[in-house]
Amino acid sequence: MPTTQLTLFAPENTFPEPAPCDQTVLCWGLGADSTAILVRMLEDPVAFGLRPDLSDLIVINAVTGMVL
């Protein structure tokens, strides 16, 4: 029997819950808001649910050179 789109969303279909993530990712845009958040995370990582050694924090930044 072919599967239709409606049968994919039927209440009897169960999908596994995603595994909890062990990492926190901060996209640091070098602006005032994201810098303030990063500084607060560095000052008190436990308040943000991070490990004290920050081993579960990933900070991402991209400098494109095209800031207007």
Side-chain angles (χ1 to χ4, degrees), residues 32-57:
D33 293 337
S34 59
T35 299
I37 292 170
L38 177 59
V39 169
R40 293 287 312 271
M41 286 180 164
L42 296 175
E43 288 177 342
D44 190 10
V46 177
F48 288 89
L50 300 170
R51 295 185 189 118
D53 64 354
L54 298 170
S55 62
D56 55 349
L57 176 64

Side-chain angles (χ1 to χ4, degrees), residues 19-26 49-51 54-59:
C21 182
D22 293 336
Q23 298 290 320
T24 299
V25 179
L26 174 67
L50 300 170
R51 295 185 189 118
L54 298 170
S55 62
D56 55 349
L57 176 64
I58 299 171
V59 180

